[in-house]
């Protein structure tokens, strides 16, 4: 533990699995008191147990971020209470990805994906950022995606939501930055936990063939970037989308 976030408080959405879980664990390891947000209390309890076993501090708050302002505001209020009156760091990580094409997406799916991926972080930021601005400090980290800038055949709906969140990152940096609130984003490549020995490759791994990394990343790689953006080391970083994607969007890919 290097205590880069010692004394800070953090709210991490979608924190019961994959990237969100890794960010919550990494923040706690750096000294932050973390509110782990998710829909499943059992999975939430597992994350809390992992953090506490390592000497960190965390609490689980159940929330279904359905895109309504009411749900996001209720979460902000509950997290603020649990964290002792303030939220120093907000990570907008929760998101859903339906494997649908444009022509197979119906109204309900479209509305649900935009509600979870765009409206929920929009209204959560609206509920959290003003108190940060009033204190003159705070950090918001959004999770984008490499496919918001590099199109693939299946993913038009999801990629458009992540493009919206990356645009909001820049807009919020302009809106809240002058009051001391830094807003940045991370754009992960294909990322997933290590697969059990003997299992086949993850379906998304083929998208990373031929990149400098030549394979998928781990949730911990994204968590390291989140710690940096949330910490004082990134004090001069505003409105940036940090690519943590193994070189997927920056380097010509030559698949073997």
């Amino acid at each position: 533990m290097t205590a880069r976030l010692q004394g800070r408080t953090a709210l991490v959405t979608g924190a019961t699995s994959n990237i969100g879980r890794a960010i919550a664990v990494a923040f706690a390891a750096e000294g932050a008191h973390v509110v782990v947000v998710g829909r499943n209390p059992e999975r939430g309890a597992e994350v809390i147990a992992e953090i506490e076993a390592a000497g960190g501090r965390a609490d689980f708050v159940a929330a279904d971020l359905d895109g309504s302002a009411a749900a996001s505001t209720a979460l902000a209020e509950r997290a603020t209470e649990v964290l002792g009156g303030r939220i120093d760091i907000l990570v907008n990580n929760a998101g859903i990805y339906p494997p649908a094409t444009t022509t197979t997406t119906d109204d309900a799916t479209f509305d649900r994906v935009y509600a979870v991926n765009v409206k929920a972080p929009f209204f959560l930021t609206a509920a959290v950022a003003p108190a940060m601005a009033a204190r003159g400090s705070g950090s918001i980290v959004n999770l984008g995606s490499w496919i918001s800038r590099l199109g693939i055949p299946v993913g038009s709906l999801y990629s458009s939501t992540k493009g919206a969140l990356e645009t909001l990152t820049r807009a919020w940096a302009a809106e809240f930055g002058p009051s001391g609130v830094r807003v940045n984003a991370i754009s992960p490549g294909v990322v997933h936990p290590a697969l059990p020995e003997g299992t086949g490759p993850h379906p998304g791994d083929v998208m990373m063939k031929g990149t400098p990394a030549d394979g998928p990343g781990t949730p911990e790689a994204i968590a390291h970037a989140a710690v940096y953006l949330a910490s004082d080391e990134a004090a001069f970083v505003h409105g940036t989308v940090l690519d943590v994607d193994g070189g997927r969007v920056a380097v010509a890919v030559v698949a073997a």
Side-chain angles (χ1 to χ4, degrees):
M1 182 183 293
T2 57
R4 293 154 78 189
L5 301 178
Q6 188 65 44
R8 310 283 176 85
T9 60
L11 167 60
V12 183
T13 68
T16 59
S17 65
N18 204 17
I19 290 173
R21 178 172 183 157
I23 291 174
V25 170
F27 278 11
E30 294 289 347
H33 179 188
V34 182
V35 161
V36 171
V37 179
R39 292 179 296 176
N40 188 308
E42 289 75 21
R43 288 165 62 180
E46 292 176 1
V47 182
I48 300 304
E50 179 180 357
I51 289 172
E52 291 180 343
R57 186 180 179 193
D59 292 279
F60 175 73
V61 173
D64 183 7
L65 294 173
D66 58 6
S68 67
S72 291
T73 299
L75 172 59
E77 291 174 350
R78 177 59 181 150
T80 299
E81 178 184 358
V82 169
L83 293 171
R86 77 179 197 278
I87 298 170
D88 296 316
I89 305 162
L90 167 63
V91 179
N92 286 310
N93 167 72
I96 54 177
Y97 184 167
T101 63
T102 299
T103 57
T104 59
T105 299
D106 57 24
D107 276 353
T109 300
F110 187 99
D111 290 344
R112 173 65 175 160
V113 175
Y114 261 83
V116 175
N117 293 9
V118 181
K119 288 183 67 179
F122 184 94
F123 287 117
L124 186 55
T125 297
V128 170
M132 291 180 173
R135 292 193 306 272
S137 66
S139 177
I140 298 172
V141 180
N142 300 318
L143 270 293
S145 173
W146 65 274
I147 66 170
S148 67
R149 278 168 288 152
L150 189 64
I152 63 174
V154 180
S156 57
L157 178 59
Y158 176 82
S159 64
S160 70
T161 66
K162 290 304 182 179
L165 199 56
E166 291 186 8
T167 297
L168 285 170
T169 296
R170 291 182 284 271
W172 287 336
E175 184 174 355
F176 300 113
S179 298
V181 182
R182 294 185 303 102
V183 186
N184 295 287
I186 301 169
S187 179
V190 175
V191 169
H192 57 77
L195 299 174
E197 188 173 347
T199 61
H202 187 277
D205 289 358
V206 67
M207 304 302 297
M208 298 299 294
K209 293 297 292 182
T211 64
D214 200 37
T218 64
E220 288 72 25
I222 310 305
H224 293 319
V227 168
Y228 163 68
L229 289 176
S231 74
D232 291 340
E233 294 171 6
F236 199 50
V237 182
H238 292 261
T240 290
V241 178
L242 178 59
D243 293 321
V244 187
D245 63 359
R248 187 64 181 84
V249 300
V251 181
V253 175
V254 181

